[in-house]
Amino acid sequence: MSDKRILIVDDSYVIRQIIRNSLKQIGFSSENITEAENGAAGLKSLGENMVDLVISDWNMPKMTGIEFLKAVRADDGLKAVPFMMVTSETEKEKIMEAVQAGVNQYLVKP
C-alpha cells in the first residue's frame, strides 16, 4: 500500500490531517499523500501529479467537491481515478447526485 498515491481535498486543515494520519496508520506512506484546500487546487494538483485515489470533501470554497468530481470525471486522463467523497452531506439527493456524477465511495463524516 505504501506506493499508492493519494490526494486529500478539504478546506479544513484539521480534517486533512485526520485523514492523512488515518491513512498512515493503515500503512500508506506520508510521502505519497498530497493535499489541496479546494477543488480548484485539487485539479491543479492532479494536473501535476497522477494519483491512485482522490478523497474529497463536498463543501469547499472556489470549487465544491461535486464540481471537482464532475471535472475529474469529464477529463479523459483522470476519469478512471477512484474518487471517495468524505462529507457531512447526508441528504439522499446529495448522495444520488454524487453517485450520478461518478463517485466510487461516499462516506459521511461523524
Side-chain angles (χ1 to χ4, degrees):
M1 271 195 291
S2 63
D3 64 331
K4 299 294 183 188
R5 297 157 303 179
I6 301 172
L7 172 62
I8 303 167
V9 184
D10 198 302
D11 58 322
S12 168
Y13 173 78
V14 172
I15 295 296
R16 290 195 313 265
Q17 292 308 300
I18 290 170
I19 294 171
R20 174 183 283 274
N21 290 336
S22 295
L23 291 168
K24 285 171 36 182
Q25 287 177 353
I26 60 171
F28 289 95
S29 171
S30 183
E31 295 82 38
N32 291 336
I33 301 172
T34 308
E35 298 179 20
E37 66 276 359
N38 58 56
L43 272 181
K44 182 177 186 293
S45 180
L46 286 175
E48 298 167 356
N49 308 294
M50 282 304 299
V51 299
D52 299 297
L53 173 65
V54 173
I55 300 173
S56 178
D57 186 20
W58 185 303
N59 297 305
M60 299 178 288
K62 295 187 183 180
M63 178 184 273
T64 66
I66 194 71
E67 293 168 337
F68 176 46
L69 170 61
K70 289 176 181 178
V72 168
R73 291 298 179 243
D75 185 308
D76 286 337
L78 300 173
K79 66 182 176 185
V81 174
F83 197 109
M84 176 185 285
M85 188 78 69
V86 179
T87 180
S88 58
E89 291 293 340
T90 60
E91 297 172 21
K92 185 177 180 180
E93 295 80 19
K94 297 275 188 178
I95 297 169
M96 291 308 300
E97 182 180 359
V99 168
Q100 290 169 353
V103 76
N104 296 95
Q105 291 292 323
Y106 194 97
L107 181 65
V108 177
K109 292 178 188 175

